[in-house]
Amino acid sequence: MNYPLTRGLLLYGIGLGLLLAVTGCSFLAAGAYVLFPNDVKAHFPGLRGKKTAVVCRAASLEFAEPGVSRELAARIGMLMQKNDDRIMVIDPEKLADWTDRNDWTEFRQIGKALKADMVVGIELERFTISQGSTLLQGQADARIAVYDMKEGGKLVYELKPRTIKFPPNSPISSAERQEADFRNQFVDIVADTLARNFYDYDSRAYQATDSTALR
C-alpha cells in the first residue's frame, strides 16, 4: 500500500471537508445560481403562449408628459418578449394606430378589436421627474389589470396602485444630469418594475435596481 499517497488523500479530504463546512452556504448559493438562475417566479405567468396587447393610459398626464404612456407600453412589451419568448406581444405601432383611429374607454375594447387573447392594461396615475426647477426625482403611480379575452374579458390579475420613485431618498441636482437623459432612465425603471410581474427573473441581477426604486 502506498502510505504517503493514502495519507495525502486523507489530508486532502479533511481539508476539503473543512472548506465546505466553512463556506458551504457560499457553495450552495453559487450552485443554485448556476442551476436555477431565475429564482423569482412571475406573479402572473398567464401570458405565456398568448397573444397579448399591452396598453398604457395616462390621459390626465398627456399634456405635461406627452407620449409617456406609449413609451411605457412599448418598453414593457419589449421586456416581456425579451425575458420570456413565449409571450406574444402585439406590435405597439399597430396598437397605437388603432387607438388613434378609434374612441375607446375600456382596455377590453382594444383586446376585442385586435383579437388579443390577453390585455395588460396599465393606468398611469402620476408621472413626474422634477421637484422644482433645479431638482430631479422621478415618481410614478401605476396600477395594472389583466383581462382574459377568451373568457369574455374576465379580470384575471390585478396589481394595486404602486409608487415607484427614483432616486428613492433624495433628488439630485439638474446640474448633474440632463433632464432628457434622466427622464429616459426613469421610464426604463418604471417599465422594468412593472414588466417583471409577468416573467421569471434573477433577483441578484436586480439588487442594484431595486435599491434605487421603491416598489
Side-chain angles (χ1 to χ4, degrees), residues 28-184:
L28 289 174
Y33 179 84
V34 173
L35 295 175
F36 308 105
N38 292 330
D39 59 312
V40 180
K41 299 304 176 183
H43 292 175
F44 181 77
L47 302 182
R48 293 166 183 165
K50 306 292 180 63
K51 183 181 178 184
T52 302
V54 181
V55 191
C56 182
R57 176 165 58 189
S60 63
L61 304 173
E62 288 303 326
F63 180 76
E65 280 291 341
V68 67
S69 57
R70 289 188 179 180
E71 288 179 63
L72 275 174
R75 296 191 198 191
I76 289 170
M78 179 189 69
L79 286 167
M80 288 178 181
Q81 291 186 306
K82 177 182 177 181
N83 289 279
D84 193 332
D85 58 12
R86 294 167 290 182
I87 301 175
M88 300 175 288
V89 176
I90 293 175
D91 184 347
E93 291 187 7
K94 180 179 179 180
L95 191 150
D97 181 66
W98 188 91
T99 56
D100 283 344
R101 294 171 180 271
N102 297 273
D103 293 327
W104 61 280
T105 56
E106 292 189 354
F107 293 116
R108 295 180 180 92
Q109 292 175 257
I110 300 173
K112 184 177 180 179
L114 297 181
K115 296 180 171 58
D117 299 323
M118 310 290 286
V119 177
V120 176
I122 303 155
E123 295 278 7
L124 188 64
E125 299 173 349
R126 173 165 52 173
F127 184 93
T128 59
I129 62 168
S130 62
Q131 292 189 10
S133 59
T134 61
L135 297 176
L136 296 174
Q137 186 176 42
Q139 185 163 325
D141 295 336
R143 54 192 177 97
I144 296 176
V146 179
Y147 304 95
D148 189 337
M149 300 307 298
K150 295 298 184 182
E151 295 291 333
K154 178 182 178 181
L155 177 66
V156 291
Y157 175 74
E158 188 172 14
L159 179 70
K160 297 188 181 301
R162 169 165 296 183
T163 296
I164 304 164
K165 186 183 290 187
F166 171 78
N169 299 318
S170 59
I172 62 174
S173 170
S174 58
E176 299 176 26
R177 294 286 304 276
Q178 291 290 327
E179 185 172 306
D181 292 339
F182 181 84
R183 179 188 182 280
N184 191 55

